[in-house]
Amino acid sequence: MSGRVSVRVSVRGVVRTFSELCITGGVLIVLFVVYFLYWTGVQADSAGAGEISRLQDRWASGSLTPGTSDSADAPDEDAPGSSGEGLAGPDGTGRDDAGTRYPDGGSFAVMYIPRFGRDWARPVLENTEKQTLRKGLGHYAETAALGGRGNFAVAGHRRTYGDPFKDFPQLRPGDAVVLSDGRTWYTYRIDDRPYKTVPSDTGVLDPVPDPLTPSAAPYRDPGRYLTLTTCEPEWGSSHRLIAWAHLDATQPVAEGRPDVLDE
């Protein structure tokens, strides 16, 4: 009789221990999900707001972003593409003709996309490293300078770390993408719906974008372009979504915000 009692006690102990382990594991999973989905967003929003605040303070004091070049101020009137975590970067041929370089890991511009909401604004930092993309958007360091000839390419998270490009699939032709470097407003216009491709399709970052699917290429001639990249699917990274835009207009910051930001 005592042997049966011992067996029952032992089985109950095993079941209790297993149940406690399951509960503990469940709690840890919930905590991880909360951290991954919520807390990383809180941290990214705080870091991004801090970067924008520091940029605006610097601009207000008259200190423009290091590396900004005069050649990126305005599009050539005759140039195509003007009216008057990431992909592997290209080999450097996309650099702006003036050789503009920004401080590695530092913020140098603020991006606004009205399609994503009136209050949507993100800092743009130099490089696409993990730590950089936790603060905002990352400029592919070997692509053109903001407003410059070639292809100014920027990456951002689709989900987590503030979900900057969560609504990326909603981009439509004609949508404005506005950036400021403290001296000039640059307004780019999206030319087509997002293009889905694989991470190895690095031609999308070329000075004249050259994707693996030739029919997806939005341009044939040199110009002043913008490429935005993010992950696809929404909670994965097996593919990439790409959006291309051309430089449509520029205006000095002293003249006020572009009208498209107040529509």
Side-chain angles (χ1 to χ4, degrees):
M1 187 68 178
S2 61
R4 292 181 179 178
V5 172
S6 297
V7 170
R8 289 174 183 171
V9 171
S10 178
V11 170
R12 288 174 182 171
V14 170
V15 172
R16 183 183 302 111
T17 300
F18 179 73
S19 299
E20 290 174 350
L21 289 174
C22 287
I23 292 172
T24 300
V27 170
L28 291 175
I29 290 173
V30 169
L31 290 175
F32 175 76
V33 170
V34 169
Y35 168 79
F36 195 67
L37 300 183
Y38 175 73
W39 186 243
T40 61
V42 171
Q43 291 178 311
D45 288 344
S46 176
E51 291 291 337
I52 291 176
S53 178
R54 283 188 288 274
L55 269 178
Q56 292 175 336
D57 287 345
R58 193 165 75 215
W59 295 341
S61 69
S63 177
L64 295 176
T65 301
T68 301
S69 72
D70 290 338
S71 68
D73 277 355
D76 290 339
E77 293 182 359
D78 297 328
S82 68
S83 61
E85 72 174 281
L87 297 157
D91 60 6
T93 57
R95 173 57 61 186
D96 175 69
D97 56 343
T100 295
R101 293 192 178 277
Y102 303 110
D104 189 45
S107 55
F108 62 89
V110 179
M111 179 181 291
Y112 306 82
I113 303 181
R115 168 70 69 177
F116 295 166
R118 291 178 61 88
D119 297 327
W120 192 96
R122 295 293 189 276
V124 182
L125 300 93
E126 182 71 349
N127 78 45
T128 56
E129 300 295 329
K130 289 182 179 180
Q131 289 298 118
T132 300
L133 294 180
R134 292 176 180 178
K135 302 175 186 177
L137 309 176
H139 170 234
Y140 289 94
E142 294 306 321
T143 65
L146 174 56
R149 297 182 184 86
N151 187 7
F152 176 68
V154 176
H157 281 294
R158 179 86 175 275
R159 280 294 195 173
T160 71
Y161 297 102
D163 305 336
F165 281 163
K166 174 176 66 70
D167 297 323
F168 201 95
Q170 296 181 16
L171 289 171
R172 295 293 181 267
D175 282 351
V177 179
V178 182
L179 295 104
S180 173
D181 62 3
R183 177 177 58 185
T184 303
W185 288 103
Y186 303 87
T187 299
Y188 291 84
R189 293 285 178 176
I190 297 291
D191 286 298
D192 206 344
R193 294 194 176 203
Y195 159 68
K196 182 178 178 179
T197 189
V198 292
S200 60
D201 191 2
T202 59
V204 302
L205 304 177
D206 285 354
V208 178
D210 184 24
L212 291 176
T213 304
S215 61
Y219 317 113
R220 294 291 183 269
D221 300 308
R224 297 174 186 263
Y225 304 123
L226 166 70
T227 295
L228 302 178
T229 76
T230 195
C231 290
E232 170 72 5
E234 189 171 355
W235 293 104
S237 58
S238 61
H239 290 75
R240 298 290 184 267
L241 285 181
I242 312 297
W244 286 295
H246 65 274
L247 185 61
D248 183 63
T250 64
Q251 69 182 64
V253 166
E255 293 182 3
R257 288 157 54 95
D259 292 340
V260 68
L261 294 181
D262 297 315
E263 292 177 351

